[in-house]
Amino acid sequence: MRVRRRTLAALLTTVPLAVAVAGCSDSSAGQVTGTRGLHFSQTIANPAQGNGACHRFAPRGVDHVTNNTGVDIWLHKGLDCDDPSGRPSTYLPTTFSAGTAETPGLWHSFSTVGWPPPVAPNVGRTVN
């Protein structure tokens, strides 16, 4: 099979570029929405990934989170993606929601999966 030089040159240029763009994304497209009761809602659009990226919910925290991004997240009870003793983090897969009905306290921050989180999460329960 014979390949033209122009076709080969185009493939050798575009394929590595497409792979690089797909593999080096530092944000996750979509939104993470946290709510507390009926009167508070906070949406974080396209949360950054990697380099210790920690995203905070309002200082008072949230009791329900919906992950509408393309990556899984860890929900943390502490402000800086840490987990106080006895309050484990919660794993939230993409396109899922979770509430604090079964865990003590509110969530105050989250980190994305795919890059190491800022601190090792205390594995609590997995949301199905």
Side-chain angles (χ1 to χ4, degrees), residues 33-50:
T33 303
T35 59
R36 185 179 59 250
L38 299 174
H39 303 289
F40 178 79
S41 179
Q42 178 182 4
T43 299
I44 299 168
N46 306 322
Q49 288 181 261

PDB file of all heavy atoms in Angstrom, residues 33-50:
ATOM      1  N   THR A  33     -22.071  21.053  41.608  1.00  0.00           N
ATOM      2  CA  THR A  33     -23.025  21.917  42.302  1.00  0.00           C
ATOM      3  C   THR A  33     -23.249  21.408  43.710  1.00  0.00           C
ATOM      4  O   THR A  33     -23.568  20.233  43.902  1.00  0.00           O
ATOM      5  CB  THR A  33     -24.371  21.976  41.555  1.00  0.00           C
ATOM      6  OG1 THR A  33     -24.127  22.439  40.219  1.00  0.00           O
ATOM      7  CG2 THR A  33     -25.349  22.909  42.245  1.00  0.00           C
ATOM      8  N   GLY A  34     -23.053  22.288  44.678  1.00  0.00           N
ATOM      9  CA  GLY A  34     -23.307  21.959  46.072  1.00  0.00           C
ATOM     10  C   GLY A  34     -24.466  22.790  46.595  1.00  0.00           C
ATOM     11  O   GLY A  34     -24.592  23.975  46.258  1.00  0.00           O
ATOM     12  N   THR A  35     -25.329  22.176  47.390  1.00  0.00           N
ATOM     13  CA  THR A  35     -26.461  22.895  47.974  1.00  0.00           C
ATOM     14  C   THR A  35     -26.519  22.634  49.476  1.00  0.00           C
ATOM     15  O   THR A  35     -26.016  21.632  49.970  1.00  0.00           O
ATOM     16  CB  THR A  35     -27.804  22.477  47.337  1.00  0.00           C
ATOM     17  OG1 THR A  35     -27.974  21.081  47.526  1.00  0.00           O
ATOM     18  CG2 THR A  35     -27.850  22.802  45.861  1.00  0.00           C
ATOM     19  N   ARG A  36     -27.159  23.548  50.178  1.00  0.00           N
ATOM     20  CA  ARG A  36     -27.432  23.401  51.608  1.00  0.00           C
ATOM     21  C   ARG A  36     -28.865  23.866  51.822  1.00  0.00           C
ATOM     22  O   ARG A  36     -29.172  25.051  51.657  1.00  0.00           O
ATOM     23  CB  ARG A  36     -26.462  24.228  52.446  1.00  0.00           C
ATOM     24  CG  ARG A  36     -26.622  24.014  53.940  1.00  0.00           C
ATOM     25  CD  ARG A  36     -25.623  24.829  54.769  1.00  0.00           C
ATOM     26  NE  ARG A  36     -25.753  26.256  54.514  1.00  0.00           N
ATOM     27  CZ  ARG A  36     -24.869  27.009  53.863  1.00  0.00           C
ATOM     28  NH1 ARG A  36     -23.758  26.486  53.392  1.00  0.00           N
ATOM     29  NH2 ARG A  36     -25.075  28.290  53.664  1.00  0.00           N
ATOM     30  N   GLY A  37     -29.721  22.897  52.099  1.00  0.00           N
ATOM     31  CA  GLY A  37     -31.129  23.230  52.273  1.00  0.00           C
ATOM     32  C   GLY A  37     -31.735  23.760  50.981  1.00  0.00           C
ATOM     33  O   GLY A  37     -31.279  23.447  49.888  1.00  0.00           O
ATOM     34  N   LEU A  38     -32.762  24.586  51.138  1.00  0.00           N
ATOM     35  CA  LEU A  38     -33.456  25.133  49.972  1.00  0.00           C
ATOM     36  C   LEU A  38     -32.936  26.496  49.541  1.00  0.00           C
ATOM     37  O   LEU A  38     -33.288  26.985  48.474  1.00  0.00           O
ATOM     38  CB  LEU A  38     -34.951  25.256  50.275  1.00  0.00           C
ATOM     39  CG  LEU A  38     -35.673  23.951  50.606  1.00  0.00           C
ATOM     40  CD1 LEU A  38     -37.107  24.238  51.031  1.00  0.00           C
ATOM     41  CD2 LEU A  38     -35.644  23.024  49.410  1.00  0.00           C
ATOM     42  N   HIS A  39     -32.096  27.129  50.377  1.00  0.00           N
ATOM     43  CA  HIS A  39     -31.761  28.530  50.132  1.00  0.00           C
ATOM     44  C   HIS A  39     -30.336  28.797  49.661  1.00  0.00           C
ATOM     45  O   HIS A  39     -29.990  29.929  49.378  1.00  0.00           O
ATOM     46  CB  HIS A  39     -32.026  29.354  51.390  1.00  0.00           C
ATOM     47  CG  HIS A  39     -33.446  29.226  51.859  1.00  0.00           C
ATOM     48  ND1 HIS A  39     -34.493  29.782  51.177  1.00  0.00           N
ATOM     49  CD2 HIS A  39     -33.977  28.578  52.905  1.00  0.00           C
ATOM     50  CE1 HIS A  39     -35.624  29.496  51.800  1.00  0.00           C
ATOM     51  NE2 HIS A  39     -35.344  28.756  52.853  1.00  0.00           N
ATOM     52  N   PHE A  40     -29.482  27.769  49.608  1.00  0.00           N
ATOM     53  CA  PHE A  40     -28.101  28.014  49.193  1.00  0.00           C
ATOM     54  C   PHE A  40     -27.690  27.031  48.112  1.00  0.00           C
ATOM     55  O   PHE A  40     -27.906  25.832  48.233  1.00  0.00           O
ATOM     56  CB  PHE A  40     -27.129  27.889  50.371  1.00  0.00           C
ATOM     57  CG  PHE A  40     -25.701  28.091  49.954  1.00  0.00           C
ATOM     58  CD1 PHE A  40     -25.213  29.359  49.746  1.00  0.00           C
ATOM     59  CD2 PHE A  40     -24.874  27.005  49.727  1.00  0.00           C
ATOM     60  CE1 PHE A  40     -23.905  29.551  49.326  1.00  0.00           C
ATOM     61  CE2 PHE A  40     -23.577  27.185  49.302  1.00  0.00           C
ATOM     62  CZ  PHE A  40     -23.084  28.466  49.114  1.00  0.00           C
ATOM     63  N   SER A  41     -27.076  27.557  47.045  1.00  0.00           N
ATOM     64  CA  SER A  41     -26.543  26.740  45.965  1.00  0.00           C
ATOM     65  C   SER A  41     -25.262  27.384  45.452  1.00  0.00           C
ATOM     66  O   SER A  41     -25.193  28.601  45.293  1.00  0.00           O
ATOM     67  CB  SER A  41     -27.562  26.632  44.831  1.00  0.00           C
ATOM     68  OG  SER A  41     -27.031  25.864  43.773  1.00  0.00           O
ATOM     69  N   GLN A  42     -24.250  26.561  45.217  1.00  0.00           N
ATOM     70  CA  GLN A  42     -22.976  27.049  44.677  1.00  0.00           C
ATOM     71  C   GLN A  42     -22.550  26.125  43.552  1.00  0.00           C
ATOM     72  O   GLN A  42     -22.530  24.911  43.720  1.00  0.00           O
ATOM     73  CB  GLN A  42     -21.903  27.077  45.755  1.00  0.00           C
ATOM     74  CG  GLN A  42     -20.557  27.527  45.251  1.00  0.00           C
ATOM     75  CD  GLN A  42     -19.486  27.502  46.329  1.00  0.00           C
ATOM     76  OE1 GLN A  42     -19.742  27.080  47.449  1.00  0.00           O
ATOM     77  NE2 GLN A  42     -18.298  27.944  45.985  1.00  0.00           N
ATOM     78  N   THR A  43     -22.205  26.701  42.397  1.00  0.00           N
ATOM     79  CA  THR A  43     -21.763  25.918  41.253  1.00  0.00           C
ATOM     80  C   THR A  43     -20.326  26.284  40.917  1.00  0.00           C
ATOM     81  O   THR A  43     -19.992  27.459  40.805  1.00  0.00           O
ATOM     82  CB  THR A  43     -22.673  26.165  40.035  1.00  0.00           C
ATOM     83  OG1 THR A  43     -24.001  25.760  40.376  1.00  0.00           O
ATOM     84  CG2 THR A  43     -22.207  25.391  38.823  1.00  0.00           C
ATOM     85  N   ILE A  44     -19.499  25.265  40.760  1.00  0.00           N
ATOM     86  CA  ILE A  44     -18.109  25.450  40.347  1.00  0.00           C
ATOM     87  C   ILE A  44     -17.991  24.851  38.954  1.00  0.00           C
ATOM     88  O   ILE A  44     -18.154  23.646  38.770  1.00  0.00           O
ATOM     89  CB  ILE A  44     -17.138  24.789  41.345  1.00  0.00           C
ATOM     90  CG1 ILE A  44     -17.319  25.439  42.721  1.00  0.00           C
ATOM     91  CG2 ILE A  44     -15.706  24.900  40.855  1.00  0.00           C
ATOM     92  CD1 ILE A  44     -16.643  24.720  43.843  1.00  0.00           C
ATOM     93  N   ALA A  45     -17.744  25.710  37.972  1.00  0.00           N
ATOM     94  CA  ALA A  45     -17.676  25.278  36.575  1.00  0.00           C
ATOM     95  C   ALA A  45     -16.248  24.915  36.194  1.00  0.00           C
ATOM     96  O   ALA A  45     -15.295  25.605  36.567  1.00  0.00           O
ATOM     97  CB  ALA A  45     -18.196  26.382  35.665  1.00  0.00           C
ATOM     98  N   ASN A  46     -16.097  23.827  35.445  1.00  0.00           N
ATOM     99  CA  ASN A  46     -14.819  23.376  34.908  1.00  0.00           C
ATOM    100  C   ASN A  46     -13.706  23.379  35.960  1.00  0.00           C
ATOM    101  O   ASN A  46     -12.708  24.077  35.808  1.00  0.00           O
ATOM    102  CB  ASN A  46     -14.412  24.242  33.711  1.00  0.00           C
ATOM    103  CG  ASN A  46     -15.472  24.291  32.661  1.00  0.00           C
ATOM    104  OD1 ASN A  46     -16.145  23.302  32.392  1.00  0.00           O
ATOM    105  ND2 ASN A  46     -15.666  25.454  32.064  1.00  0.00           N
ATOM    106  N   PRO A  47     -13.865  22.611  37.039  1.00  0.00           N
ATOM    107  CA  PRO A  47     -12.842  22.627  38.093  1.00  0.00           C
ATOM    108  C   PRO A  47     -11.490  22.138  37.584  1.00  0.00           C
ATOM    109  O   PRO A  47     -11.416  21.194  36.800  1.00  0.00           O
ATOM    110  CB  PRO A  47     -13.410  21.663  39.144  1.00  0.00           C
ATOM    111  CG  PRO A  47     -14.358  20.796  38.420  1.00  0.00           C
ATOM    112  CD  PRO A  47     -14.920  21.631  37.303  1.00  0.00           C
ATOM    113  N   ALA A  48     -10.441  22.829  38.005  1.00  0.00           N
ATOM    114  CA  ALA A  48      -9.082  22.468  37.599  1.00  0.00           C
ATOM    115  C   ALA A  48      -8.677  21.142  38.223  1.00  0.00           C
ATOM    116  O   ALA A  48      -9.147  20.768  39.293  1.00  0.00           O
ATOM    117  CB  ALA A  48      -8.112  23.565  38.012  1.00  0.00           C
ATOM    118  N   GLN A  49      -7.791  20.437  37.534  1.00  0.00           N
ATOM    119  CA  GLN A  49      -7.259  19.175  38.015  1.00  0.00           C
ATOM    120  C   GLN A  49      -5.772  19.318  38.262  1.00  0.00           C
ATOM    121  O   GLN A  49      -5.117  20.154  37.674  1.00  0.00           O
ATOM    122  CB  GLN A  49      -7.448  18.081  36.970  1.00  0.00           C
ATOM    123  CG  GLN A  49      -8.857  17.627  36.796  1.00  0.00           C
ATOM    124  CD  GLN A  49      -8.918  16.537  35.747  1.00  0.00           C
ATOM    125  OE1 GLN A  49      -9.247  16.812  34.623  1.00  0.00           O
ATOM    126  NE2 GLN A  49      -8.583  15.330  36.119  1.00  0.00           N
ATOM    127  N   GLY A  50      -5.228  18.442  39.093  1.00  0.00           N
ATOM    128  CA  GLY A  50      -3.789  18.328  39.284  1.00  0.00           C
ATOM    129  C   GLY A  50      -3.178  19.437  40.106  1.00  0.00           C
ATOM    130  O   GLY A  50      -3.833  20.383  40.536  1.00  0.00           O
TER     131      GLY A  50
END
